[in-house]
Amino acid sequence: MHANPASSLELEAISRHFEGRAVLSDISLSIPPGRITCLLGQSGCGKSTLLRIIAGVDRPDPGGRIRVGGVDVVGPGMFVEPEDRKIGFMFQDYALFPHLSVADNLAFGLRALPRAERRKRVARVAERIGITGLLDRYPHSLSGGEQQRVALARALAPEPAILLMDEPFSNLDQGLREKVRRETVETLRRIGTTAIIVTHDPQEALAVGDLIVLMRAGRIEQAGTPFEIYDRPHSPYAAEFMGPCNRLTGIWSDGRIETPIGTFPADLDLPDGSLALACIRPQALSIGPDGQGISARVVAKTFTGESEQIDIMVHPLAQTLRMHSHFRIPMAIGEKVSLQLNGAQIHVFPEPPAVDPLQPET
């Protein structure tokens, strides 16, 4: 299968209102060609609406612009129809036609081609995705993983320049999800298609995306590589969405935040004496030898197989601190321990407002 050359995607000032409510607000974004971009966020943040607007099945408010491969498809007074954008769309529920065989499902978007070329294209994409043995079967006889692969093949059959995927792995069981996701990502990278994947799972985005676009309430909270967005979050929201954090409020003084469990430097421009917030990853905490650290007490332990989750109480904190350890911690609940910190996993921000209605869902 020879896909079209991968295309870049440019969004400028894309907004969308429903009944006076802003679902998307002034989204500007540059999607690199030939890479996988993950639109990440909790339900209702606008990521699926943005995907539909890119596909052309929904229209943005007037004033925005969308370019595919440098060519306008949405702009002042213009709107290119979905079938003319060379953009493929893979739906969350796969949307396979139950009355058509797998081969006919794959051929559905190829009706403009001569019959012989259509058969060749179906055979090529089926071989590439590894579903040649399924071509005579019908969707109802396929497993979830097989249906997902057929849906991917159907989306790729027209050789789109950009492929959009809305929660493509969410209907699969956990073990199968990881296998199918890995195979899908390998296929997309081999073909070199520009792909945009919507997901609500930060671990999936970190595993899959070359670029992660974290959305929040219809806006882009942060965009960057997986390492950038995890290691250098721009906000407490971004830090906590990408992985669990312990929150500690402290006083800012001379380029450092002073907390009850330590003082940590950060690159912030804050007046001395103002409040700041430290978000401390559970893996930043560890148990040290007796007397070499902060005096603490174990209050809970949960064994998860790969690691142990341990809740620690440190005076004078009102809340417990959570740590993750890949080593067996022999201390029993109620026992005193010495707590040590790894500053590399501590993120410091200006203290956010006391009431933050947009905290990530738990």
Side-chain angles (χ1 to χ4, degrees):
M1 192 172 98
H2 305 287
N4 282 348
S7 287
S8 61
L9 176 69
E10 302 286 336
L11 308 177
E12 293 181 7
I14 297 297
S15 297
R16 184 69 168 98
H17 288 72
F18 289 114
E19 299 177 351
R21 182 175 67 90
V23 178
L24 295 173
S25 300
D26 197 28
I27 298 288
S28 293
L29 182 63
S30 179
I31 301 291
R35 302 296 180 90
I36 298 174
T37 295
C38 286
L39 296 182
L40 173 66
Q42 62 188 28
S43 297
C45 73
K47 56 190 186 296
S48 291
T49 298
L50 184 58
L51 207 69
R52 290 194 298 270
I53 286 174
I54 294 169
V57 297
D58 192 8
R59 292 178 181 244
D61 296 346
R65 187 184 299 272
I66 300 177
R67 294 187 185 92
V68 176
V71 177
D72 283 0
V73 296
V74 171
M78 73 165 303
F79 180 85
V80 174
E81 295 297 329
E83 59 269 23
D84 298 322
R85 294 190 182 190
K86 296 299 291 183
I87 292 177
F89 201 125
M90 182 175 161
F91 295 93
Q92 182 176 359
D93 61 359
Y94 310 143
L96 299 175
F97 299 112
H99 62 291
L100 297 181
S101 68
V102 168
D104 289 339
N105 264 281
L106 267 56
F108 187 82
L110 308 175
R111 288 166 294 176
L113 295 178
R115 182 175 298 179
E117 176 58 28
R118 196 158 59 227
R119 285 198 299 267
K120 289 179 183 177
R121 184 81 66 85
V122 167
R124 283 204 305 268
V125 72
E127 182 180 4
R128 178 62 66 94
I129 306 301
I131 58 169
T132 300
L134 306 178
L135 288 175
D136 293 331
R137 292 171 59 181
Y138 285 78
H140 68 85
S141 70
L142 304 177
S143 69
E146 289 169 339
Q147 289 184 27
Q148 198 273 353
R149 283 189 282 268
V150 170
L152 175 63
R154 187 179 65 177
L156 289 172
E159 299 180 348
I162 297 174
L163 176 63
L164 310 180
M165 309 172 76
D166 192 2
E167 299 273 7
F169 313 111
S170 62
N171 291 333
L172 303 174
D173 294 335
Q174 179 63 33
L176 183 60
R177 181 184 311 149
E178 294 179 4
K179 178 178 183 292
V180 172
R181 184 176 68 198
R182 183 175 62 254
E183 292 172 349
T184 301
V185 168
E186 288 173 354
T187 299
L188 294 174
R189 296 201 192 285
R190 188 167 62 245
I191 295 172
T193 302
T194 304
I196 303 174
I197 299 177
V198 161
T199 180
H200 64 276
D201 182 351
Q203 298 306 310
E204 182 166 275
L206 289 170
V208 168
D210 298 302
L211 174 71
I212 297 175
V213 180
L214 175 61
M215 296 184 63
R216 179 190 188 192
R219 298 181 181 274
I220 295 175
E221 182 76 9
Q222 185 174 348
T225 67
F227 289 115
E228 287 169 345
I229 205 164
Y230 186 85
D231 293 337
R232 295 185 292 280
H234 291 176
S235 66
Y237 182 89
E240 292 180 307
F241 198 96
M242 299 312 295
C245 289
N246 298 291
R247 278 183 165 227
L248 279 184
T249 299
I251 304 297
W252 185 257
S253 177
D254 194 26
R256 306 168 72 86
I257 181 175
E258 298 177 353
T259 78
I261 64 169
T263 301
F264 312 108
D267 186 18
L268 291 179
D269 184 17
L270 294 176
D272 285 357
S274 59
L275 292 178
L277 176 70
C279 290
I280 303 174
R281 300 273 185 212
Q283 57 268 34
L285 306 177
S286 60
I287 302 297
D290 267 351
Q292 296 185 27
I294 303 161
S295 180
R297 187 182 300 273
V298 176
V299 296
K301 298 174 71 176
T302 303
F303 181 52
T304 61
E306 288 186 0
S307 65
E308 200 166 18
Q309 182 175 285
I310 303 166
D311 291 343
I312 304 287
M313 180 61 74
V314 178
H315 181 78
L317 297 179
Q319 78 273 28
T320 59
L321 300 176
R322 177 158 293 175
M323 64 170 284
H324 292 164
S325 175
H326 289 284
F327 303 99
R328 303 290 182 262
I329 303 296
M331 287 74 175
I333 293 174
E335 194 169 340
K336 289 185 177 180
V337 295
S338 292
L339 188 65
Q340 295 183 332
L341 286 92
N342 159 26
Q345 293 288 331
I346 298 174
H347 309 297
V348 182
F349 308 97
E351 175 72 2
V355 178
D356 189 354
L358 295 175
Q359 282 300 301
E361 296 172 352
T362 56

